[in-house]
Structures are given as C-alpha cells and as structure tokens.
Amino acid sequence: DIQMTQSPSSLSASVGDRVTITCRTSQSISTYLHWYQQKPGKAPNLLIYAASSLQSGVPSRFSGSGSGTDFTLTISSLQPDDFATYYCQQSYTTPRWAFGQGTKVEIK
Amino acid sequence: QVQLVESGGGVVQPGGSLRLSCAASGFTFSNYGIHWVRQAPGKGLEWVAFILYDGSNKYYADSVKGRFTISRDNSKNTLYLQMNSLRAEDTAVYYCAKDGISVAGSFDYWGQGTLVTVSS
C-alpha cells in the first residue's frame, strides 16, 4: 500500500499569513492527488483535484502543486473561514483510495 | 444543486446489523459511481466502499470486506450500505460521496453524514 504523510499535523497561523501544507507519498502517484477542507461537525469539501486544479467555487487563494511523490497545498492569505482540517487523498491505487492523516490549521 | 442525504445511523450492539441509505438529487445518479467514507470520532477519513454507476462492480476496504455490502437502486436514486457483524471499531460518521466529474477518484460532493455507534 502507498503510505501518505502530511506535514505538519497541526499549525498555528494568523489571518493574512501564507500557509503551506505538504503531502508526501511512498511511491509516485503522478498527479492523482486531491485536497479537502473539513470544518468541525461538517463533511469534507473538495478544494483541489488532480494536484493543481481548483474545484469550482473554491476561492483563488487556495492552490495546489506537485507531482510524483511531493505535493503542496498553499493558502496565499489565510482568512478566518480557513481555520479547519485539511486532508490529501490519492486515487492512483484505484480502487484503494486513501487519505492522509490530516493537518489542523488553528488560529495563532 | 447536488444533494446527498444519508440516513439509517444509530446505536447497535456488537455483532449487530444496520443499513444506511444515501438519497441523491440534483444530478443524474445513474451516471456516477458513489463512495462510502467514514470518520471515527476525533480521527481522520477512511474510504470504505465504492460502487460503479451501474452497480456492476463493487470495491471494499480490507477493514470491512466480507461484513459490509454496498448496493444501489438507480430507479430510486439511492445508495445503500448493509453493515453486518458490526464491531466497536466501526463506530464513525458515515458519509456518502459522489465520484468526481472532473477526475474519477476524487470526491466532489458529500452528504452531511450519519453517525453509527457500536456499543453494548
């Protein structure tokens, strides 16, 4: 199985900060990597698909990059609504989809 | 707009059974595969099962294989998850999620979730 490692597991940041979350996989998955945001008590919401494509309706301050084994989710200017937990997910090993362990973004 | 609404969760004893439903609207249900994803309290997301658009193929996580069965009724726009031989570790919020329109294998719409608690 492909191992997925998100880092950091949590971070504290201020409104307006640039935030970067990393997802690393144990073997190459091309760009079969997607990012989700989840707020407490709510379902996850797709932000980025195929490593770098912005899902419709998602603010442009969110961006994704990477291919192979190293991927990044960037929030260019953190907003109050962005405090949440973020998950990466790979779909390379279909039909064995898997998520990273999550990164909690908290208010500093 | 796309809507997925889960139901059927509740409290069940270890070894018991439960059937979850996911009612879909706002898209052509019979054109898309659908997933079940779960989240144990305070934990991360775990993919559980997937069914192709026409029900012809079904896939399961190792943790539920042989105990859970995914099915769908395209005439009713409804997805199901039959859960048997339930264990304490199956306690979680269960979400149904639509397979992505842009990239298969991403989950572009999710329901609000239904809580399953396995406890004596």
Side-chain angles (χ1 to χ4, degrees):
Chain A
D1 288 355
I2 294 178
Q3 306 305 312
M4 302 180 68
T5 304
Q6 276 186 245
S7 60
S9 56
S10 65
L11 65 91
S12 295
S14 300
V15 172
D17 284 353
R18 181 181 182 89
V19 170
T20 299
I21 298 168
T22 297
C23 182
R24 185 160 292 161
T25 58
S26 58
Q27 66 185 71
S28 176
I29 60 168
S30 184
T31 57
Y32 291 88
L33 192 285
H34 322 292
W35 290 98
Y36 301 83
Q37 176 193 67
Q38 186 181 32
K39 297 178 181 178
K42 301 294 187 181
N45 181 48
L46 178 65
L47 298 175
I48 302 286
Y49 62 90
S52 61
S53 296
L54 192 67
Q55 174 70 356
S56 175
V58 174
S60 59
R61 63 181 179 272
F62 292 94
S63 64
S65 64
S67 67
T69 61
D70 292 297
F71 302 87
T72 299
L73 173 70
T74 299
I75 309 172
S76 61
S77 177
L78 196 66
Q79 298 302 300
D81 192 47
D82 301 338
F83 293 96
T85 300
Y86 294 84
Y87 293 93
C88 59
Q89 175 244 329
Q90 64 88 5
S91 59
Y92 183 80
T93 54
T94 298
R96 288 182 176 274
W97 298 268
F99 293 89
Q101 80 275 19
T103 295
K104 187 173 184 179
V105 176
E106 298 176 302
I107 301 173
K108 181 183 282 186
Chain B
Q1 71 282 19
V2 173
Q3 271 202 309
L4 297 166
V5 180
E6 302 93 338
S7 60
V11 180
V12 60
Q13 291 188 338
S17 299
L18 211 56
R19 188 176 87 153
L20 307 183
S21 299
C22 169
S25 61
F27 67 103
T28 305
F29 182 72
S30 58
N31 284 357
Y32 292 94
I34 309 288
H35 302 261
W36 285 102
V37 177
R38 69 184 180 183
Q39 186 170 35
K43 302 297 184 182
L45 300 167
E46 179 188 16
W47 172 78
V48 173
F50 173 69
I51 186 168
L52 277 178
Y53 67 99
D54 59 355
S56 60
N57 281 291
K58 307 171 185 181
Y59 305 96
Y60 300 92
D62 288 344
S63 58
V64 307
K65 197 174 296 182
R67 301 187 298 121
F68 289 12
T69 302
I70 189 171
S71 63
R72 65 191 296 161
D73 185 338
N74 285 348
S75 69
K76 295 181 178 180
N77 288 352
T78 302
L79 173 77
Y80 303 100
L81 186 68
Q82 178 66 44
M83 304 186 296
N84 298 331
S85 302
L86 282 161
R87 305 166 180 168
E89 54 265 36
D90 296 319
T91 294
V93 174
Y94 285 73
Y95 299 100
C96 58
K98 174 184 162 292
D99 203 40
I101 189 171
S102 301
V103 174
S106 64
F107 311 138
D108 60 0
Y109 289 94
W110 298 62
Q112 84 289 350
T114 187
L115 176 62
V116 173
T117 302
V118 184
S119 174
S120 54

